[in-house]
Amino acid sequence: MYNKDKTAIVFIDLINDFKFNGGNKLLKHTKEILPNLVALKTYGKKNKLPVIYVNDHYGLWQADFNEIIKKCTNPDSEEIIEAMRPNEDDYFFIKPKHSAFFQTPLHSLLTELNRNMLILAGIAGDICILFTAKDAYMYNMELCIPKNCIASEEKANNDYALYLMQSVMKADIKEFH
């Protein structure tokens, strides 16, 4: 499916408390794609692909995913967080803004790992995935953004973001199976 020697999986903002205006819609849409996210992570592990999580920091700048999990876990978010919890051998970075590249070591890590094909997955498709895809495109990376592995608050906005990522950033948006 992918050139496994050049590919990395980047999961964005999956450790999330969904406690914001519109969070209930994003939670619902994230639960709909959760089986696909789990399958993508399983695929990555089976094929020894680097699995990289880049997440909002929630005011915890120590970049400890266990602390962010503690802060974000609630009855609404628990199912998603437990299903997508990073493994100890996964990479984990915090980000201060929308893009997974902005003020993070993501580009340096990908360069060191010799990876120029990214599979982007997570939330929100019309914000953080879109901004990350734009930056990856500017770094001349190939993009795969499976449309069944991203979610946004509004499905129309998610669809429009996918359209932009495919038409402008040349992303492959075929569903992940």
Side-chain angles (χ1 to χ4, degrees):
M1 185 178 223
Y2 309 104
N3 179 347
K4 294 174 186 136
D5 295 332
K6 296 289 185 182
T7 301
I9 298 173
V10 180
F11 288 117
I12 299 172
D13 289 339
L14 289 174
I15 301 171
N16 199 302
D17 64 7
F18 299 95
K19 298 294 181 197
F20 50 86
N21 189 18
N24 58 335
K25 291 180 184 179
L26 185 57
L27 174 67
K28 176 183 178 281
H29 297 149
T30 304
K31 285 185 175 185
E32 290 170 3
I33 65 165
L34 186 57
N36 305 320
L37 295 170
V38 170
L40 179 57
K41 182 169 181 175
T42 301
Y43 171 85
K45 292 297 181 184
K46 179 181 165 208
N47 289 284
K48 297 179 175 39
L49 300 180
V51 175
I52 306 163
Y53 287 79
V54 186
N55 212 88
D56 287 337
H57 57 78
Y58 290 92
L60 302 172
W61 286 96
Q62 292 82 13
D64 179 346
F65 69 80
N66 290 308
E67 290 301 314
I68 294 174
I69 285 172
K70 276 189 226 171
K71 181 162 183 139
C72 289
T73 300
N74 60 53
D76 293 331
S77 66
E78 187 171 23
E79 176 187 5
I80 295 164
I81 290 173
E82 285 309 308
M84 293 306 298
R85 173 187 282 274
N87 297 357
E88 292 298 328
D89 64 336
D90 293 334
Y91 299 94
F92 182 85
F93 301 131
I94 56 172
K95 62 183 179 64
K97 290 285 188 181
H98 309 307
S99 173
F101 286 96
F102 181 72
Q103 296 184 355
T104 76
L106 180 58
H107 186 252
S108 295
L109 174 65
L110 294 168
T111 300
E112 186 171 313
L113 296 174
N114 196 26
R115 305 292 165 145
N116 66 353
M117 166 57 140
L118 299 184
I119 303 171
L120 299 181
I123 56 179
D126 61 340
I127 305 170
C128 298
I129 304 290
L130 180 62
F131 280 67
T132 300
K134 185 266 308 169
D135 285 349
Y137 180 75
M138 298 298 285
Y139 283 122
N140 294 314
M141 295 187 175
E142 293 181 56
L143 291 168
C144 178
I145 305 165
K147 62 184 169 186
N148 63 342
C149 291
I150 71 166
S152 302
E153 289 177 30
E154 300 294 338
K155 289 194 183 247
N157 294 353
N158 202 64
D159 291 344
Y160 186 64
L162 283 163
Y163 162 76
L164 289 174
M165 291 183 283
Q166 181 181 41
S167 64
V168 177
M169 296 158 223
K170 312 301 181 225
D172 176 354
I173 64 166
K174 288 191 294 273
E175 289 190 355
F176 178 80
H177 297 287

PDB file of all heavy atoms in Angstrom, residues 124-148:
ATOM      1  N   ALA A 124      -8.463  18.027  14.273  1.00  0.00           N
ATOM      2  CA  ALA A 124      -9.610  18.198  13.419  1.00  0.00           C
ATOM      3  C   ALA A 124      -9.126  18.362  11.979  1.00  0.00           C
ATOM      4  O   ALA A 124      -8.168  19.087  11.713  1.00  0.00           O
ATOM      5  CB  ALA A 124     -10.431  19.413  13.844  1.00  0.00           C
ATOM      6  N   GLY A 125      -9.832  17.710  11.080  1.00  0.00           N
ATOM      7  CA  GLY A 125      -9.433  17.702   9.682  1.00  0.00           C
ATOM      8  C   GLY A 125      -9.349  19.070   9.055  1.00  0.00           C
ATOM      9  O   GLY A 125      -8.460  19.343   8.255  1.00  0.00           O
ATOM     10  N   ASP A 126     -10.266  19.946   9.438  1.00  0.00           N
ATOM     11  CA  ASP A 126     -10.313  21.273   8.823  1.00  0.00           C
ATOM     12  C   ASP A 126      -9.423  22.297   9.518  1.00  0.00           C
ATOM     13  O   ASP A 126      -9.358  23.447   9.093  1.00  0.00           O
ATOM     14  CB  ASP A 126     -11.758  21.780   8.771  1.00  0.00           C
ATOM     15  CG  ASP A 126     -12.396  21.923  10.136  1.00  0.00           C
ATOM     16  OD1 ASP A 126     -11.916  21.312  11.116  1.00  0.00           O
ATOM     17  OD2 ASP A 126     -13.399  22.645  10.236  1.00  0.00           O
ATOM     18  N   ILE A 127      -8.726  21.889  10.560  1.00  0.00           N
ATOM     19  CA  ILE A 127      -7.821  22.815  11.250  1.00  0.00           C
ATOM     20  C   ILE A 127      -6.426  22.184  11.323  1.00  0.00           C
ATOM     21  O   ILE A 127      -5.588  22.428  10.462  1.00  0.00           O
ATOM     22  CB  ILE A 127      -8.353  23.192  12.663  1.00  0.00           C
ATOM     23  CG1 ILE A 127      -9.773  23.758  12.570  1.00  0.00           C
ATOM     24  CG2 ILE A 127      -7.424  24.204  13.334  1.00  0.00           C
ATOM     25  CD1 ILE A 127     -10.467  23.941  13.903  1.00  0.00           C
ATOM     26  N   CYS A 128      -6.186  21.366  12.320  1.00  0.00           N
ATOM     27  CA  CYS A 128      -4.831  20.880  12.577  1.00  0.00           C
ATOM     28  C   CYS A 128      -4.310  19.931  11.488  1.00  0.00           C
ATOM     29  O   CYS A 128      -3.128  19.990  11.138  1.00  0.00           O
ATOM     30  CB  CYS A 128      -4.761  20.234  13.957  1.00  0.00           C
ATOM     31  SG  CYS A 128      -5.136  21.452  15.263  1.00  0.00           S
ATOM     32  N   ILE A 129      -5.163  19.076  10.951  1.00  0.00           N
ATOM     33  CA  ILE A 129      -4.722  18.210   9.851  1.00  0.00           C
ATOM     34  C   ILE A 129      -4.410  19.061   8.622  1.00  0.00           C
ATOM     35  O   ILE A 129      -3.377  18.890   7.973  1.00  0.00           O
ATOM     36  CB  ILE A 129      -5.789  17.146   9.510  1.00  0.00           C
ATOM     37  CG1 ILE A 129      -6.164  16.301  10.726  1.00  0.00           C
ATOM     38  CG2 ILE A 129      -5.328  16.271   8.342  1.00  0.00           C
ATOM     39  CD1 ILE A 129      -5.126  15.345  11.228  1.00  0.00           C
ATOM     40  N   LEU A 130      -5.284  20.001   8.315  1.00  0.00           N
ATOM     41  CA  LEU A 130      -5.088  20.877   7.156  1.00  0.00           C
ATOM     42  C   LEU A 130      -3.805  21.694   7.284  1.00  0.00           C
ATOM     43  O   LEU A 130      -3.009  21.762   6.337  1.00  0.00           O
ATOM     44  CB  LEU A 130      -6.297  21.798   6.981  1.00  0.00           C
ATOM     45  CG  LEU A 130      -6.254  22.778   5.813  1.00  0.00           C
ATOM     46  CD1 LEU A 130      -6.186  22.052   4.474  1.00  0.00           C
ATOM     47  CD2 LEU A 130      -7.469  23.703   5.858  1.00  0.00           C
ATOM     48  N   PHE A 131      -3.567  22.301   8.436  1.00  0.00           N
ATOM     49  CA  PHE A 131      -2.356  23.095   8.639  1.00  0.00           C
ATOM     50  C   PHE A 131      -1.107  22.216   8.565  1.00  0.00           C
ATOM     51  O   PHE A 131      -0.085  22.615   8.004  1.00  0.00           O
ATOM     52  CB  PHE A 131      -2.407  23.816   9.990  1.00  0.00           C
ATOM     53  CG  PHE A 131      -3.228  25.073   9.991  1.00  0.00           C
ATOM     54  CD1 PHE A 131      -4.603  25.033   9.813  1.00  0.00           C
ATOM     55  CD2 PHE A 131      -2.637  26.312  10.190  1.00  0.00           C
ATOM     56  CE1 PHE A 131      -5.370  26.187   9.818  1.00  0.00           C
ATOM     57  CE2 PHE A 131      -3.390  27.486  10.196  1.00  0.00           C
ATOM     58  CZ  PHE A 131      -4.767  27.412  10.013  1.00  0.00           C
ATOM     59  N   THR A 132      -1.177  21.013   9.113  1.00  0.00           N
ATOM     60  CA  THR A 132      -0.044  20.085   9.066  1.00  0.00           C
ATOM     61  C   THR A 132       0.223  19.654   7.633  1.00  0.00           C
ATOM     62  O   THR A 132       1.385  19.593   7.197  1.00  0.00           O
ATOM     63  CB  THR A 132      -0.315  18.861   9.968  1.00  0.00           C
ATOM     64  OG1 THR A 132      -0.502  19.317  11.315  1.00  0.00           O
ATOM     65  CG2 THR A 132       0.828  17.866   9.911  1.00  0.00           C
ATOM     66  N   ALA A 133      -0.832  19.357   6.886  1.00  0.00           N
ATOM     67  CA  ALA A 133      -0.677  18.952   5.490  1.00  0.00           C
ATOM     68  C   ALA A 133      -0.033  20.065   4.679  1.00  0.00           C
ATOM     69  O   ALA A 133       0.839  19.820   3.834  1.00  0.00           O
ATOM     70  CB  ALA A 133      -2.036  18.567   4.903  1.00  0.00           C
ATOM     71  N   LYS A 134      -0.444  21.298   4.920  1.00  0.00           N
ATOM     72  CA  LYS A 134       0.142  22.442   4.215  1.00  0.00           C
ATOM     73  C   LYS A 134       1.632  22.518   4.476  1.00  0.00           C
ATOM     74  O   LYS A 134       2.439  22.670   3.559  1.00  0.00           O
ATOM     75  CB  LYS A 134      -0.569  23.734   4.640  1.00  0.00           C
ATOM     76  CG  LYS A 134      -0.133  24.990   3.898  1.00  0.00           C
ATOM     77  CD  LYS A 134       0.943  25.814   4.556  1.00  0.00           C
ATOM     78  CE  LYS A 134       0.688  26.199   5.983  1.00  0.00           C
ATOM     79  NZ  LYS A 134       1.891  26.770   6.632  1.00  0.00           N
ATOM     80  N   ASP A 135       2.034  22.384   5.741  1.00  0.00           N
ATOM     81  CA  ASP A 135       3.464  22.451   6.069  1.00  0.00           C
ATOM     82  C   ASP A 135       4.227  21.271   5.477  1.00  0.00           C
ATOM     83  O   ASP A 135       5.332  21.436   4.959  1.00  0.00           O
ATOM     84  CB  ASP A 135       3.665  22.518   7.580  1.00  0.00           C
ATOM     85  CG  ASP A 135       3.330  23.895   8.148  1.00  0.00           C
ATOM     86  OD1 ASP A 135       3.136  24.848   7.364  1.00  0.00           O
ATOM     87  OD2 ASP A 135       3.263  24.008   9.386  1.00  0.00           O
ATOM     88  N   ALA A 136       3.657  20.082   5.548  1.00  0.00           N
ATOM     89  CA  ALA A 136       4.316  18.900   4.965  1.00  0.00           C
ATOM     90  C   ALA A 136       4.508  19.097   3.464  1.00  0.00           C
ATOM     91  O   ALA A 136       5.572  18.773   2.911  1.00  0.00           O
ATOM     92  CB  ALA A 136       3.493  17.646   5.235  1.00  0.00           C
ATOM     93  N   TYR A 137       3.505  19.634   2.806  1.00  0.00           N
ATOM     94  CA  TYR A 137       3.596  19.906   1.376  1.00  0.00           C
ATOM     95  C   TYR A 137       4.713  20.903   1.090  1.00  0.00           C
ATOM     96  O   TYR A 137       5.481  20.744   0.127  1.00  0.00           O
ATOM     97  CB  TYR A 137       2.247  20.420   0.867  1.00  0.00           C
ATOM     98  CG  TYR A 137       2.242  20.736  -0.606  1.00  0.00           C
ATOM     99  CD1 TYR A 137       2.214  19.706  -1.555  1.00  0.00           C
ATOM    100  CD2 TYR A 137       2.268  22.047  -1.051  1.00  0.00           C
ATOM    101  CE1 TYR A 137       2.207  19.998  -2.914  1.00  0.00           C
ATOM    102  CE2 TYR A 137       2.252  22.335  -2.405  1.00  0.00           C
ATOM    103  CZ  TYR A 137       2.231  21.311  -3.330  1.00  0.00           C
ATOM    104  OH  TYR A 137       2.232  21.603  -4.671  1.00  0.00           O
ATOM    105  N   MET A 138       4.838  21.921   1.933  1.00  0.00           N
ATOM    106  CA  MET A 138       5.902  22.911   1.765  1.00  0.00           C
ATOM    107  C   MET A 138       7.288  22.286   1.954  1.00  0.00           C
ATOM    108  O   MET A 138       8.268  22.763   1.398  1.00  0.00           O
ATOM    109  CB  MET A 138       5.716  24.076   2.744  1.00  0.00           C
ATOM    110  CG  MET A 138       4.416  24.848   2.525  1.00  0.00           C
ATOM    111  SD  MET A 138       4.293  25.630   0.915  1.00  0.00           S
ATOM    112  CE  MET A 138       5.399  26.989   1.142  1.00  0.00           C
ATOM    113  N   TYR A 139       7.369  21.198   2.723  1.00  0.00           N
ATOM    114  CA  TYR A 139       8.618  20.446   2.898  1.00  0.00           C
ATOM    115  C   TYR A 139       8.795  19.379   1.814  1.00  0.00           C
ATOM    116  O   TYR A 139       9.663  18.517   1.925  1.00  0.00           O
ATOM    117  CB  TYR A 139       8.663  19.778   4.269  1.00  0.00           C
ATOM    118  CG  TYR A 139       8.989  20.706   5.413  1.00  0.00           C
ATOM    119  CD1 TYR A 139       8.113  20.841   6.487  1.00  0.00           C
ATOM    120  CD2 TYR A 139      10.180  21.427   5.442  1.00  0.00           C
ATOM    121  CE1 TYR A 139       8.414  21.672   7.553  1.00  0.00           C
ATOM    122  CE2 TYR A 139      10.487  22.255   6.507  1.00  0.00           C
ATOM    123  CZ  TYR A 139       9.599  22.375   7.556  1.00  0.00           C
ATOM    124  OH  TYR A 139       9.900  23.197   8.621  1.00  0.00           O
ATOM    125  N   ASN A 140       7.964  19.414   0.781  1.00  0.00           N
ATOM    126  CA  ASN A 140       8.034  18.460  -0.334  1.00  0.00           C
ATOM    127  C   ASN A 140       7.801  17.018   0.084  1.00  0.00           C
ATOM    128  O   ASN A 140       8.385  16.093  -0.487  1.00  0.00           O
ATOM    129  CB  ASN A 140       9.373  18.581  -1.078  1.00  0.00           C
ATOM    130  CG  ASN A 140       9.507  19.909  -1.773  1.00  0.00           C
ATOM    131  OD1 ASN A 140       8.574  20.359  -2.439  1.00  0.00           O
ATOM    132  ND2 ASN A 140      10.653  20.546  -1.607  1.00  0.00           N
ATOM    133  N   MET A 141       6.947  16.813   1.055  1.00  0.00           N
ATOM    134  CA  MET A 141       6.619  15.457   1.480  1.00  0.00           C
ATOM    135  C   MET A 141       5.398  14.965   0.720  1.00  0.00           C
ATOM    136  O   MET A 141       4.536  15.742   0.336  1.00  0.00           O
ATOM    137  CB  MET A 141       6.347  15.432   2.975  1.00  0.00           C
ATOM    138  CG  MET A 141       7.580  15.775   3.772  1.00  0.00           C
ATOM    139  SD  MET A 141       7.299  15.546   5.510  1.00  0.00           S
ATOM    140  CE  MET A 141       8.946  15.888   6.096  1.00  0.00           C
ATOM    141  N   GLU A 142       5.351  13.656   0.510  1.00  0.00           N
ATOM    142  CA  GLU A 142       4.173  13.028  -0.067  1.00  0.00           C
ATOM    143  C   GLU A 142       3.164  12.808   1.057  1.00  0.00           C
ATOM    144  O   GLU A 142       3.541  12.473   2.176  1.00  0.00           O
ATOM    145  CB  GLU A 142       4.538  11.692  -0.705  1.00  0.00           C
ATOM    146  CG  GLU A 142       5.419  11.817  -1.924  1.00  0.00           C
ATOM    147  CD  GLU A 142       5.718  10.449  -2.507  1.00  0.00           C
ATOM    148  OE1 GLU A 142       4.760   9.714  -2.819  1.00  0.00           O
ATOM    149  OE2 GLU A 142       6.907  10.129  -2.616  1.00  0.00           O
ATOM    150  N   LEU A 143       1.908  12.972   0.733  1.00  0.00           N
ATOM    151  CA  LEU A 143       0.868  12.895   1.753  1.00  0.00           C
ATOM    152  C   LEU A 143      -0.191  11.861   1.419  1.00  0.00           C
ATOM    153  O   LEU A 143      -0.680  11.792   0.297  1.00  0.00           O
ATOM    154  CB  LEU A 143       0.170  14.252   1.893  1.00  0.00           C
ATOM    155  CG  LEU A 143       1.002  15.362   2.499  1.00  0.00           C
ATOM    156  CD1 LEU A 143       0.319  16.700   2.305  1.00  0.00           C
ATOM    157  CD2 LEU A 143       1.225  15.085   3.972  1.00  0.00           C
ATOM    158  N   CYS A 144      -0.540  11.113   2.417  1.00  0.00           N
ATOM    159  CA  CYS A 144      -1.704  10.246   2.379  1.00  0.00           C
ATOM    160  C   CYS A 144      -2.553  10.651   3.579  1.00  0.00           C
ATOM    161  O   CYS A 144      -2.065  10.643   4.714  1.00  0.00           O
ATOM    162  CB  CYS A 144      -1.293   8.785   2.467  1.00  0.00           C
ATOM    163  SG  CYS A 144      -2.712   7.693   2.483  1.00  0.00           S
ATOM    164  N   ILE A 145      -3.765  11.055   3.317  1.00  0.00           N
ATOM    165  CA  ILE A 145      -4.681  11.480   4.380  1.00  0.00           C
ATOM    166  C   ILE A 145      -5.982  10.720   4.162  1.00  0.00           C
ATOM    167  O   ILE A 145      -6.895  11.193   3.474  1.00  0.00           O
ATOM    168  CB  ILE A 145      -4.894  13.009   4.348  1.00  0.00           C
ATOM    169  CG1 ILE A 145      -3.537  13.724   4.408  1.00  0.00           C
ATOM    170  CG2 ILE A 145      -5.802  13.444   5.507  1.00  0.00           C
ATOM    171  CD1 ILE A 145      -3.573  15.179   4.026  1.00  0.00           C
ATOM    172  N   PRO A 146      -6.049   9.491   4.689  1.00  0.00           N
ATOM    173  CA  PRO A 146      -7.252   8.679   4.458  1.00  0.00           C
ATOM    174  C   PRO A 146      -8.505   9.399   4.980  1.00  0.00           C
ATOM    175  O   PRO A 146      -8.571   9.775   6.144  1.00  0.00           O
ATOM    176  CB  PRO A 146      -6.987   7.397   5.244  1.00  0.00           C
ATOM    177  CG  PRO A 146      -5.517   7.379   5.505  1.00  0.00           C
ATOM    178  CD  PRO A 146      -5.082   8.809   5.540  1.00  0.00           C
ATOM    179  N   LYS A 147      -9.469   9.568   4.085  1.00  0.00           N
ATOM    180  CA  LYS A 147     -10.659  10.343   4.454  1.00  0.00           C
ATOM    181  C   LYS A 147     -11.472   9.688   5.554  1.00  0.00           C
ATOM    182  O   LYS A 147     -12.250  10.365   6.225  1.00  0.00           O
ATOM    183  CB  LYS A 147     -11.514  10.637   3.229  1.00  0.00           C
ATOM    184  CG  LYS A 147     -12.074   9.449   2.510  1.00  0.00           C
ATOM    185  CD  LYS A 147     -12.822   9.906   1.272  1.00  0.00           C
ATOM    186  CE  LYS A 147     -13.172   8.738   0.384  1.00  0.00           C
ATOM    187  NZ  LYS A 147     -13.777   9.214  -0.870  1.00  0.00           N
ATOM    188  N   ASN A 148     -11.268   8.410   5.791  1.00  0.00           N
ATOM    189  CA  ASN A 148     -11.984   7.744   6.887  1.00  0.00           C
ATOM    190  C   ASN A 148     -11.155   7.703   8.168  1.00  0.00           C
ATOM    191  O   ASN A 148     -11.490   6.988   9.110  1.00  0.00           O
ATOM    192  CB  ASN A 148     -12.437   6.346   6.475  1.00  0.00           C
ATOM    193  CG  ASN A 148     -11.288   5.407   6.144  1.00  0.00           C
ATOM    194  OD1 ASN A 148     -10.154   5.837   5.901  1.00  0.00           O
ATOM    195  ND2 ASN A 148     -11.577   4.125   6.123  1.00  0.00           N
TER     196      ASN A 148
END
